[in-house]
Amino acid sequence: SQPQCPLLFCTALCWSLLEQTQAQVTLVVTNGNLTCIKAELSASFFIPYDTANGTTPVRVELPGTAKVGGNSSCGDGARLPELVAEFGDGYSLGLTFSTNNSLYAVMSLKLQYNLSDTSVFPGANRTGVVTVETTSVGIVARVNTTYRCFSPSTVSMGGVSVTFSDVKMEAFMKGDDLSLNESVCLADQSITTAPPQPPPTTTTAPPAPPPTPPGPPVQGSYSVSDSNGTVCVLARMAVQLDVSQYSASLNKTIHEVVNLQPNQTKSSGSCEPNNATLVLSQGGATNLTFLFTLNTTSNRYHLMGLSLVAFWPDMAAPFTASNMSLDYLSSSLGRSFMCSSEQTLAVNQNFSLNTFHLQIQPFGLTAGQFGQAEECQLDQENMLIPIIVGAALAGLVLIVLVAYLIGRKRSHAGYQTI
Ligand SMILES: *[C@@H]1O[C@H](CO)[C@@H](O)[C@H](O)[C@H]1NC(C)=O
Ligand SMILES: *[C@@H]1O[C@H](CO)[C@@H](O)[C@H](O)[C@H]1NC(C)=O
Ligand SMILES: *[C@@H]1O[C@H](CO)[C@@H](O)[C@H](O)[C@H]1NC(C)=O
Ligand SMILES: *[C@@H]1O[C@H](CO)[C@@H](O)[C@H](O)[C@H]1NC(C)=O
Ligand SMILES: *[C@@H]1O[C@H](CO)[C@@H](O)[C@H](O)[C@H]1NC(C)=O
Ligand SMILES: *[C@@H]1O[C@H](CO)[C@@H](O)[C@H](O)[C@H]1NC(C)=O
Ligand SMILES: *[C@@H]1O[C@H](CO)[C@@H](O)[C@H](O)[C@H]1NC(C)=O
Ligand SMILES: *[C@@H]1O[C@H](CO)[C@@H](O)[C@H](O)[C@H]1NC(C)=O
Ligand SMILES: *[C@@H]1O[C@H](CO)[C@@H](O)[C@H](O)[C@H]1NC(C)=O
Ligand SMILES: *[C@@H]1O[C@H](CO)[C@@H](O)[C@H](O)[C@H]1NC(C)=O
Ligand SMILES: *[C@@H]1O[C@H](CO)[C@@H](O)[C@H](O)[C@H]1NC(C)=O
Ligand SMILES: *[C@@H]1O[C@H](CO)[C@@H](O)[C@H](O)[C@H]1NC(C)=O
């Protein structure tokens, strides 16, 4: 139908743009005439680094100009086969392979990057080449087959993560080119709209990281002080982010639930007479801002604005969501708002915030302490349920007792008539 055409065109455009920025690289390691490792892949790196102002994340793509470096080898008795892709001064990506003659795997993944490169890491507070490495990579395939994984998959090493996509590779090769038989990764097996491929063969299941539900978030304590060092926003809460984002590589909207880790989260903000902000920042990659306003006529405050800027490893671009006309967490000046129950604060169709065990107060704190608490409706209802259940049970006991007494009287009367 007509109205969908521009949308389809846009999607096609986005795909071609994506393919342009995500360079596909072909890397071959040989020993004389023998090819032992061949890889066709795209990779991007998510690297947080320290500046004078805190931690900033940067995204680096494996460029199309990446070359097989001199440290690559087909291995021998003393060392394992290794593919080292070099891309610029001080940058390399290394994959070491091992096998037990039925399966082969990427034993370790190593990334080197150069903090002295100010075009990529502006304002880094140190220089030099940094090496990060991990041995849990999760790339496993059967010998004499090509490992195939078109879906993006992310490997973390410390704060740095590597996202591979459009991967076809083989090590311990017997022929000159990739085997037509494939070991397809789990993520690809779940995609029904796979591009036309040679008929898939029976596959081993490489250990792909399963999407684990995060469990309940941990309660953190956060505060904001004004220029005089007086606490002007105080909060105790457990926070969970519920984010929907479109994944171009998967061609669908994916839904992520992420807990804020209090031990990695810093609070900051500002206080004006009639408004106050609380900014929770987790590792430079997640910034969550609360904006409170005070109505000086009614002497009540409420949460007017919530905004989220997140740049997570699996994102192609930073995610942003903001709504500045909300009405949540309303209470009186000088009192705190309290809600032990789970609350969902909807921000827009792509983002909502779940809070648990919350107590928060902007404005009118005395000596940095919470004022008297005003409990939320949900908590009051939750308190009411046990009371109602208790009353109902008591009523039931009473009815049974009365019925028993009446029954006893009747049977007693029955004995008398015999
Ligand atoms: C490479 O191939 C050439 C011609 O096919 C052959 O003459 C040569 O011996 C081979 N070298 C090795 C190391 O196998
Ligand atoms: C760089 O910044 C981080 C965090 O801000 C700090 O922990 C580290 O000591 C700094 N390093 C240098 C060399 O200044
Ligand atoms: C190559 O190997 C040498 C010696 O093991 C090491 O110092 C160097 O960092 C390696 N280069 C790369 C790009 O891995
Ligand atoms: C190779 O390793 C896999 C997984 O660790 C195991 O299931 C398999 O039996 C091993 N094969 C051989 C020949 O050792
Ligand atoms: C792989 O192929 C080689 C040569 O074609 C063969 O000798 C070997 O047994 C094969 N290995 C497996 C596990 O299929
Ligand atoms: C740090 O912050 C100051 C002031 O906000 C800014 O001028 C400077 O460019 C920032 N530096 C970096 C490395 O972002
Ligand atoms: C800070 O203290 C000064 C002097 O006590 C006072 O005039 C000013 O209003 C205070 N500022 C804030 C933000 O409370
Ligand atoms: C994305 O998925 C929709 C249906 O889910 C399909 O119609 C469309 O062709 C897909 N687009 C691409 C580029 O694969
Ligand atoms: C943060 O807390 C979690 C559990 O609450 C723990 O697993 C993790 O190791 C802690 N991280 C740091 C850096 O303390
Ligand atoms: C907060 O209040 C100050 C003055 O009271 C005003 O200048 C500022 O624009 C307000 N900020 C917001 C976000 O409303
Ligand atoms: C979060 O805020 C910090 C400090 O303002 C900034 O350096 C960082 O880039 C922000 N993160 C995102 C994802 O915008
Ligand atoms: C403040 O509260 C009064 C009384 O409830 C209301 O009439 C007024 O519209 C409120 N002002 C704002 C800016 O919300």
Side-chain angles (χ1 to χ4, degrees):
S1 55
Q2 288 285 39
Q4 280 183 339
C5 282
L7 194 73
L8 279 176
F9 176 73
C10 175
T11 312
L13 192 73
C14 291
W15 266 89
S16 62
L17 283 176
L18 193 81
E19 274 162 14
Q20 271 175 22
T21 52
Q22 280 268 325
Q24 170 97 19
V25 185
T26 300
L27 302 157
V28 182
V29 181
T30 55
N31 180 14
N33 296 351
L34 297 175
T35 301
C36 60
I37 307 171
K38 180 168 179 178
E40 298 169 0
L41 52 82
S42 300
S44 67
F45 314 105
F46 176 86
I47 307 170
Y49 70 101
D50 290 332
T51 68
N53 296 351
T55 306
T56 304
V58 62
R59 179 174 299 271
V60 180
E61 304 283 341
L62 181 68
T65 51
K67 289 280 173 293
V68 173
N71 282 8
S72 304
S73 93
C74 282
D76 51 39
R79 55 181 293 202
L80 292 167
E82 187 170 5
L83 165 62
V84 182
E86 292 181 348
F87 50 105
D89 192 15
Y91 294 88
S92 71
L93 177 70
L95 294 86
T96 309
F97 294 86
S98 69
T99 183
N100 70 0
N101 294 325
S102 70
L103 299 177
Y104 67 92
V106 176
M107 261 278 288
S108 77
L109 181 68
K110 187 161 101 176
L111 177 69
Q112 288 192 333
Y113 56 95
N114 192 352
L115 288 178
S116 306
D117 183 352
T118 52
S119 64
V120 177
F121 304 103
N125 75 353
R126 61 197 179 107
T127 55
V129 174
V130 177
T131 304
V132 288
E133 190 167 7
T134 181
T135 52
S136 50
V137 185
I139 295 180
V140 184
R142 285 171 298 120
V143 166
N144 295 349
T145 69
T146 297
Y147 172 80
R148 188 264 255 188
C149 200
F150 293 138
S151 308
S153 72
T154 299
V155 180
S156 301
M157 18 199 190
V160 175
S161 53
V162 178
T163 301
F164 291 107
S165 54
D166 296 315
V167 178
K168 272 186 158 190
M169 75 179 161
E170 187 174 1
F172 305 99
M173 291 169 71
K174 300 300 182 316
D176 291 335
D177 210 344
L178 294 173
S179 298
L180 291 179
N181 289 342
E182 292 182 338
S183 294
V184 180
C185 70
L186 270 186
D188 278 11
Q189 291 173 33
S190 60
I191 295 178
T192 47
T193 57
Q197 281 300 311
T201 55
T202 50
T203 53
T204 49
T212 46
V218 177
Q219 191 189 46
S221 293
Y222 309 104
S223 66
V224 181
S225 301
D226 65 18
S227 48
N228 290 356
T230 311
V231 174
C232 58
V233 180
L234 191 59
R236 263 203 309 253
M237 57 186 166
V239 172
Q240 193 171 63
L241 311 169
D242 195 329
V243 170
S244 296
Q245 50 150 165
Y246 176 72
S247 163
S249 50
L250 293 174
N251 186 21
K252 64 176 179 186
T253 300
I254 58 170
H255 186 226
E256 288 184 276
V257 178
V258 174
N259 291 341
L260 222 55
Q261 304 289 347
N263 56 5
Q264 297 163 16
T265 301
K266 289 186 189 136
S267 56
S268 58
S270 65
C271 296
E272 306 283 346
N274 299 337
N275 59 41
T277 58
L278 166 66
V279 183
L280 301 183
S281 183
Q282 180 172 307
T286 305
N287 290 341
L288 177 67
T289 304
F290 297 75
L291 171 67
F292 291 93
T293 60
L294 177 66
N295 181 334
T296 45
T297 314
S298 62
N299 269 348
R300 287 185 69 79
Y301 66 81
H302 71 273
L303 177 67
M304 185 174 82
L306 260 179
S307 78
L308 173 68
V309 182
F311 197 17
W312 297 337
D314 53 342
M315 287 177 175
F319 172 90
T320 62
S322 169
N323 188 338
M324 290 297 149
S325 52
L326 302 173
D327 187 6
Y328 295 127
L329 317 184
S330 174
S331 185
S332 311
L333 175 63
R335 294 194 173 175
S336 59
F337 181 91
M338 191 161 166
C339 204
S340 303
S341 315
E342 175 179 359
Q343 295 181 103
T344 298
L345 312 182
V347 174
N348 63 20
Q349 74 268 33
N350 295 325
F351 171 51
S352 57
L353 188 74
N354 301 329
T355 67
F356 306 73
H357 308 296
L358 171 136
Q359 186 171 12
I360 198 163
Q361 184 176 348
F363 312 110
L365 285 117
T366 34
Q369 300 291 320
F370 284 122
Q372 190 186 342
E374 279 185 13
E375 200 105 4
C376 65
Q377 195 76 32
L378 279 168
D379 282 2
Q380 290 171 15
E381 282 163 14
N382 286 353
M383 292 275 279
L384 218 57
I385 290 169
I387 294 172
I388 293 169
V389 169
L393 277 177
L396 203 68
V397 167
L398 206 67
I399 290 166
V400 168
L401 200 70
V402 168
Y404 168 77
L405 287 176
I406 291 171
R408 230 173 82 110
K409 218 168 186 176
R410 281 224 181 115
S411 56
H412 198 61
Y415 282 126
Q416 274 187 337
T417 51
I418 289 174

